Amino acid sequence: MTGLRGAAAVVGVGLTPHHRRSTGGPALRLCLEAIVAAAEDAGIHPGDIDGFVSYGAERSEGQKMMPALGTKELRFAGLAWSHGGGIPGALNVAASAIATGQAEVVVVYRSLSEYDGRRLQLDVAQDDTAAQFLVNGLDAPVQLCALGTMRLLEGEGVPASTLRAMAQASYHHAQRNPAAVGNGTVLSDAEYARSRWISEPYRLFDCSRENDGAAAVVLVSAERARDYPDAAYLLSAPLGAAAGWGPLEGNQNPLWSAGFGAVAARLWAESGYRPEDVDVAQIYENTTGMGVSALIDHGFCSLEDAAELITFDNLIAPHGRLPINTAGGNLAEGFIHGMGLVVETVRQLRGTSVNQVPDARLSLMTGGPGDAVVSSALLGTRDTL
Amino acid sequence: MGSRFKQHRISGGIGGDDRFWEALEDGELRLCRCGSCGAWQWPAHFRCGRCGSWEHDWPLVEPVGTVYSWTRTHMAFPRTTARAESVPYVVLLVEVDGTDGARLHGVLEGPADALAIGARVRGTIHPPADESLGYPSLRWALETAEVSR
């Protein structure tokens, strides 16, 4: 166990609407909306936030927001590598700052807007796509993920039904979330099968949305969190990559994986819990197939029995074996580079999800799958400490 | 020695593979080995993490291998608009023979009937073009039954 287990907790969440891309206005404004909402949710004055942590190519830096937040002193700022792979790792950076006394109130956030940013494919990929991809007609993350998932399906024999189940669970959950962009889209087997190919084996409904928006969570020390009966404690949030993984241009091993093997082992060791203890999970799915790989990497199932676990019935709240993406996820709630999943991870522990899992005590979030480094976070209620 | 690609420099990724692209412009496939311990190193990097050497060899490699994975892309993306008229097109990830498993991407040309993971492929080298963003490229074709090996 690391000294960070239970050292910090999320006590406030904020989420803007998922605007259609390029209609959301400036990213910095959206970011302020989410952070102020998270501070108010925690009953903390926005000016008291003294730490700012994000990931990917976040451009709404803390120092840009200080005048608007009334920041008294910025004492800590950091960015977790890399892309969406760093999301839960950003929680770990925040907890590290809190546990070491460098900051007291740390916000972890992400803002994206095509109103004043670029296509998310570029903002999210950080213009860091290797020549070996671009020269050969591979640009978007969805195409790179497709090569990994083709290996999972055709190479390892995991049935394509798992992809459909992931998509249908997300859209099912979105029907109870009025704020979800997929609200009103009922994804039947036929509708899924009819949808157009994007990059095989992915169809349109296997791919995440693109939205303008921002999301934020506020963390404080476990001591300060005692004032909050619904605090969500960070039990473990490792970030990393094992040898053989990284930005290896299709040479990662095993390529069918989402890269979480070593990180998941640390997550379970540090938290003291096992996959079967998890009540609900938010699985970052830029594409359905990478979500399937993430579930296998975390030990919820194996390559051999993936099709047994990953069914629609098993993945839906309230009573599935492992309800996932209970607000609709990146596919059907909307895409703010995965940060909405952190908010939903916390809602489940508070009992305020639109698709609440009864008495959820352990809530998992897995970060951007297949990324060069990845991270996962297990959060729990106070009695899980 | 080829270097036209440098006028269109793509800066993403590790970027230790200039020699690969230079060779490809000259019509040759060359991959990277450590100049000291001989370990194949792909994607090419600046230092051998196994023995610590900064020296490299770039031996000629025959462009033949096995399909490791593939995807058929059905739309053009922002940086692949030059391929808009080619969609759908198939991109292969190929494990190259004799390189300790180095994998290279490349567009599939010719019939795709026998496309499958494990299929044998042969590559041909193409000069810099708009669709390959000013870089030379390797394209793969499935080896048919009548090709004797």
Side-chain angles (χ1 to χ4, degrees), chain A residues 121-145:
Chain A
Q121 287 159 355
L122 293 176
D123 266 2
V124 168
Q126 297 178 222
D127 240 354
D128 195 20
T129 309
Q132 296 285 351
F133 296 126
L134 290 167
V135 165
N136 295 303
L138 299 170
D139 174 8
V142 62
Q143 295 174 285
L144 309 187
C145 293

Side-chain angles (χ1 to χ4, degrees), chain A residues 347-359:
Chain A
R347 286 193 202 112
Q348 283 288 352
L349 295 178
R350 291 178 167 189
T352 59
S353 170
V354 289
N355 291 287
Q356 184 61 43
V357 171
D359 304 319

Side-chain angles (χ1 to χ4, degrees), chain B residues 84-109:
Chain B
E85 287 174 14
S86 306
V87 293
Y89 59 90
V90 173
V91 181
L92 304 183
L93 181 62
V94 172
E95 208 166 68
V96 180
D97 286 5
T99 63
D100 199 20
R103 298 174 203 144
L104 286 176
H105 296 93
V107 171
L108 176 71
E109 55 186 3

Side-chain angles (χ1 to χ4, degrees), chain A residues 63-146:
Chain A
Q63 58 271 30
K64 281 184 190 158
M65 295 185 284
M66 288 175 69
L69 293 173
T71 306
K72 293 174 185 135
E73 183 185 0
L74 189 159
R75 289 160 50 97
F76 185 89
L79 208 54
W81 275 325
S82 62
H83 317 124
I87 305 172
L91 299 173
N92 208 21
V93 173
S96 303
I98 291 167
T100 52
Q102 299 179 82
E104 285 186 21
V105 181
V106 181
V107 64
V108 174
Y109 62 96
R110 184 77 167 108
S111 64
L112 279 176
S113 177
E114 289 186 27
Y115 174 84
D116 56 352
R118 300 174 305 164
R119 285 297 304 273
L120 297 192
Q121 287 159 355
L122 293 176
D123 266 2
V124 168
Q126 297 178 222
D127 240 354
D128 195 20
T129 309
Q132 296 285 351
F133 296 126
L134 290 167
V135 165
N136 295 303
L138 299 170
D139 174 8
V142 62
Q143 295 174 285
L144 309 187
C145 293

Side-chain angles (χ1 to χ4, degrees), chain A residues 231-278:
Chain A
Y233 291 83
L234 194 59
L235 296 168
S236 176
L239 175 150
W245 198 263
L248 298 181
E249 302 173 8
N251 288 266
Q252 303 94 311
N253 283 310
L255 190 69
W256 63 259
S257 157
F260 288 99
V263 159
R266 283 164 57 202
L267 178 89
W268 302 128
E270 289 174 4
S271 68
Y273 289 102
R274 305 287 312 150
E276 54 268 30
D277 300 323
V278 172

Side-chain angles (χ1 to χ4, degrees), chain A residues 121-122 128-129 132-133 135-137 139-140 143 146-147 150-151 154 197-200 248-253, chain B residues 12-13 17 20 42-43 68-74 77-79 83 89 91 93 103 105 116-117 132 135-136:
Chain A
Q121 287 159 355
L122 293 176
D128 195 20
T129 309
Q132 296 285 351
F133 296 126
V135 165
N136 295 303
D139 174 8
Q143 295 174 285
L147 287 161
M150 190 64 83
R151 187 74 205 176
E154 194 181 302
W197 290 113
I198 300 297
S199 199
E200 296 174 45
L248 298 181
E249 302 173 8
N251 288 266
Q252 303 94 311
N253 283 310
Chain B
D17 54 2
F20 168 84
W42 198 255
Y68 189 83
S69 193
W70 61 274
T71 183
R72 184 181 284 108
T73 289
H74 292 256
F77 289 90
R79 291 174 290 184
R83 293 185 189 273
Y89 59 90
V91 181
L93 181 62
R103 298 174 203 144
H105 296 93
I117 287 174
S132 51
Y135 275 54

Side-chain angles (χ1 to χ4, degrees), chain A residues 3-382:
Chain A
L4 287 182
R5 186 186 188 276
V10 175
V11 296
V13 302
L15 178 67
T16 68
H18 291 86
H19 302 280
R20 275 181 64 90
R21 57 190 180 84
S22 79
T23 69
L28 191 65
R29 187 195 156 90
L30 292 167
C31 197
L32 286 164
E33 287 176 20
I35 290 176
V36 169
E40 286 175 352
D41 182 47
I44 292 173
H45 188 280
D48 289 332
I49 295 171
D50 58 0
F52 296 83
V53 179
S54 187
Y55 56 91
E58 179 61 52
R59 295 177 66 189
S60 298
E61 297 102 326
Q63 58 271 30
K64 281 184 190 158
M65 295 185 284
M66 288 175 69
L69 293 173
T71 306
K72 293 174 185 135
E73 183 185 0
L74 189 159
R75 289 160 50 97
F76 185 89
L79 208 54
W81 275 325
S82 62
H83 317 124
I87 305 172
L91 299 173
N92 208 21
V93 173
S96 303
I98 291 167
T100 52
Q102 299 179 82
E104 285 186 21
V105 181
V106 181
V107 64
V108 174
Y109 62 96
R110 184 77 167 108
S111 64
L112 279 176
S113 177
E114 289 186 27
Y115 174 84
D116 56 352
R118 300 174 305 164
R119 285 297 304 273
L120 297 192
Q121 287 159 355
L122 293 176
D123 266 2
V124 168
Q126 297 178 222
D127 240 354
D128 195 20
T129 309
Q132 296 285 351
F133 296 126
L134 290 167
V135 165
N136 295 303
L138 299 170
D139 174 8
V142 62
Q143 295 174 285
L144 309 187
C145 293
L147 287 161
T149 296
M150 190 64 83
R151 187 74 205 176
L152 179 77
L153 303 186
E154 194 181 302
E156 304 295 338
V158 171
S161 65
T162 55
L163 274 56
R164 188 183 63 199
M166 294 286 292
Q168 288 180 323
S170 291
Y171 277 88
H172 172 79
H173 289 142
Q175 302 320 304
R176 290 173 61 96
N177 181 0
V181 292
N183 187 275
T185 302
V186 176
L187 189 54
S188 63
D189 288 359
E191 190 72 22
Y192 177 85
R194 261 201 308 272
S195 68
R196 65 187 168 94
W197 290 113
I198 300 297
S199 199
E200 296 174 45
Y202 296 140
R203 296 177 180 279
L204 179 67
F205 286 110
D206 290 304
C207 305
S208 61
R209 303 266 180 165
E210 294 186 20
N211 292 106
D212 296 352
V217 297
V218 168
L219 289 93
V220 297
S221 69
E223 187 183 2
R224 191 160 168 179
R226 286 200 204 108
D227 297 339
Y228 299 85
D230 60 357
Y233 291 83
L234 194 59
L235 296 168
S236 176
L239 175 150
W245 198 263
L248 298 181
E249 302 173 8
N251 288 266
Q252 303 94 311
N253 283 310
L255 190 69
W256 63 259
S257 157
F260 288 99
V263 159
R266 283 164 57 202
L267 178 89
W268 302 128
E270 289 174 4
S271 68
Y273 289 102
R274 305 287 312 150
E276 54 268 30
D277 300 323
V278 172
D279 296 306
V280 57
Q282 309 305 316
I283 305 295
Y284 185 122
E285 68 320 23
N286 39 15
T287 59
T288 52
M290 298 307 286
V292 170
S293 294
L295 287 170
I296 298 170
D297 285 346
H298 282 81
F300 289 104
C301 55
S302 65
L303 284 167
E304 291 71 30
D305 64 9
E308 200 178 303
L309 171 72
I310 305 174
T311 65
F312 175 74
D313 288 341
N314 280 344
L315 299 182
I316 61 168
H319 299 303
R321 272 172 64 190
L322 181 68
I324 64 156
N325 301 351
T326 45
N330 292 331
L331 298 182
E333 183 183 30
F335 184 77
I336 309 173
H337 207 177
M339 191 63 205
L341 297 171
V342 182
V343 173
E344 177 66 5
T345 301
V346 173
R347 286 193 202 112
Q348 283 288 352
L349 295 178
R350 291 178 167 189
T352 59
S353 170
V354 289
N355 291 287
Q356 184 61 43
V357 171
D359 304 319
R361 296 167 63 246
L362 286 171
S363 188
L364 176 74
M365 188 217 160
T366 62
D371 215 335
V373 297
V374 295
S375 59
S376 289
L378 186 65
L379 285 83
T381 53
R382 184 178 302 169

